Amino acid sequence: MDRVLTLEFVRVTETAAVKAGRLMGKGDKMGADQLAVDGMHSILSTVPIDGTVVIGEGEMDEAPMLYIGEKVGAGGTEVDIAVDPLEGTNLTAKGQDGSIAVMAIARKGNLLHAPDMYMEKLCVGPRAKGRIDLTQPVQENLRRIAEGLERGIDDLTVVILDRPRHQEIIDECRSAGARIKLITDGDVSPAVDAGIEGSGVHVLMGIGGAPEGVLAAAALKCLGGDMQARLIPYTDEERKRCWEMGIDDINRVMTLDDLVKGDDCIFSATAITDTPMMRGVQYFGGGARTMSVVMRYKSGTIRFIDTFHRFDKKAKWSIHL
Ligand code: VTB
Ligand code: MG
Ligand code: MG
């Protein structure tokens, strides 16, 4: 993929964020999600790619836009795309930290077609690469991660979704001495942060969405971090979906390269509300300011992009609520 595409993808997540951010705190998660989807969809259609959505808003019959299998782009390199136009709808609806507009792109066939089900994840940064093992107990993983980061377990901050299903791993982290940040939603942003030195997040663990897992994997691959994951189907229907998608050993521990194959991927995210590394969208009379992070695996370059948008210059910013 051409490096010039990198900036094109930032424009896509920026637009989704500026649109959805308008509804911050309004208690309307569906409305915010719809604005993000519209924004992402409209800019994607101008990007010079021949793209197929492989992770999106749902199946064709349930999502009018950015559904799985939808062709997007103005024509060009053949790529597969994973999108979550508004990752953390509740967070945006309540004006809480951690919601982002996010997408990942890879060559055709290189993104795991993760079905909409749960996935167990363990995400770390470059200094803990090669040390994690999802089949080992939490405490053993923390010991190895701390060793990689040359510190004690009590100097690690682990992010975990605050759910009853995580009580056991929360207890294990606590008894190992790790600091914990329990979040109500949105595990993509902290997974990315785990890969960025200085973010204050060292580990993301626990069970969240599988589509979100693939997005996190694309970022961690670009960042040189590491991730292991396992699909957690709860129903026969979900197990069937896995087989249909060509995943036969459902319980297998997947590595970063199983989630995102090849040596060509790009990841872009724009903050809607604040994240540890980025300010959420700020609006001022006639414009908005966004912060994004965009990365490309080939070059390993990570860019934080701080953008001013002028609403009087482009019709695309007008939204009718
Ligand atoms: C997960 C997580 C997401 O929603 O999908 C979660 O990956 C849903 O989990 O980041 P529950 O069913 O336990 O609520 C998010 O937190 C937000 O989309
Ligand atoms: Mg979403
Ligand atoms: Mg999501």
Side-chain angles (χ1 to χ4, degrees), residues 34-35 62 105 131 137 145 161 176 210-211 226 275 284 289 309:
Q34 190 56 53
L35 287 172
E62 61 197 29
I105 306 92
R131 294 172 185 269
I145 294 164
L161 277 167
D226 207 355
T275 81
F284 45 85
R289 182 175 182 179
H309 309 270

Side-chain angles (χ1 to χ4, degrees), residues 1-2 24 51 70 78 95 104 111 125 145 149 164 178 184-185 197-198 201 208 218 221 286 302 314:
M1 282 183 283
D2 201 317
M24 186 185 86
E70 185 180 347
E78 253 197 311
L111 294 173
I145 294 164
L149 270 68
T184 58
D185 267 304
E197 210 136 328
V201 174
K221 187 154 172 158
I302 313 299
K314 287 226 170 84

Side-chain angles (χ1 to χ4, degrees), residues 124-129 195 219-226 256 297 302:
V124 294
R127 292 208 283 160
K129 192 175 172 62
L220 287 165
K221 187 154 172 158
C222 294
L223 289 160
D226 207 355
L256 211 43
Y297 179 75
I302 313 299

Side-chain angles (χ1 to χ4, degrees), residues 205-223:
M205 64 168 72
I207 297 171
E212 282 84 354
V214 176
L215 286 161
L220 287 165
K221 187 154 172 158
C222 294
L223 289 160

Side-chain angles (χ1 to χ4, degrees), residues 84 87-89 118 121 161 163 165 184-188 207-209 212:
D84 199 343
E87 156 57 7
T89 47
Y118 285 110
K121 315 168 193 183
L161 277 167
R163 297 290 188 277
R165 64 177 179 266
T184 58
D185 267 304
D187 67 356
V188 178
I207 297 171
E212 282 84 354

Side-chain angles (χ1 to χ4, degrees), residues 203-262:
V203 188
L204 172 107
M205 64 168 72
I207 297 171
E212 282 84 354
V214 176
L215 286 161
L220 287 165
K221 187 154 172 158
C222 294
L223 289 160
D226 207 355
M227 174 167 177
Q228 288 197 350
R230 189 160 33 196
L231 287 166
I232 311 281
Y234 281 106
T235 63
D236 283 342
E237 180 58 33
E238 288 181 348
R239 270 180 281 275
K240 205 170 131 239
R241 290 275 314 270
C242 291
W243 292 321
E244 281 165 6
M245 291 187 137
I247 304 162
D248 12 273
D249 184 3
I250 299 171
N251 299 316
R252 189 167 70 90
V253 172
M254 291 181 283
T255 64
L256 211 43
D257 291 316
D258 295 322
L259 298 161
V260 180
K261 294 197 214 73

Side-chain angles (χ1 to χ4, degrees), residues 57-131:
E57 292 299 285
E59 300 296 332
M60 198 199 283
D61 52 359
E62 61 197 29
M65 268 188 249
L66 299 176
Y67 55 84
I68 296 163
E70 185 180 347
K71 299 283 178 199
V72 290
T77 317
E78 253 197 311
V79 292
D80 278 353
I81 305 181
V83 299
D84 199 343
L86 203 183
E87 156 57 7
T89 47
N90 286 322
L91 300 173
T92 296
K94 293 184 185 169
Q96 292 170 338
D97 291 357
S99 57
I100 56 174
V102 58
M103 69 186 296
I105 306 92
R107 291 226 169 239
K108 203 169 180 50
N110 283 357
L111 294 173
L112 181 81
H113 294 195
D116 189 11
M117 64 173 66
Y118 285 110
M119 176 185 267
E120 184 183 359
K121 315 168 193 183
L122 179 55
C123 303
V124 294
R127 292 208 283 160
K129 192 175 172 62
R131 294 172 185 269

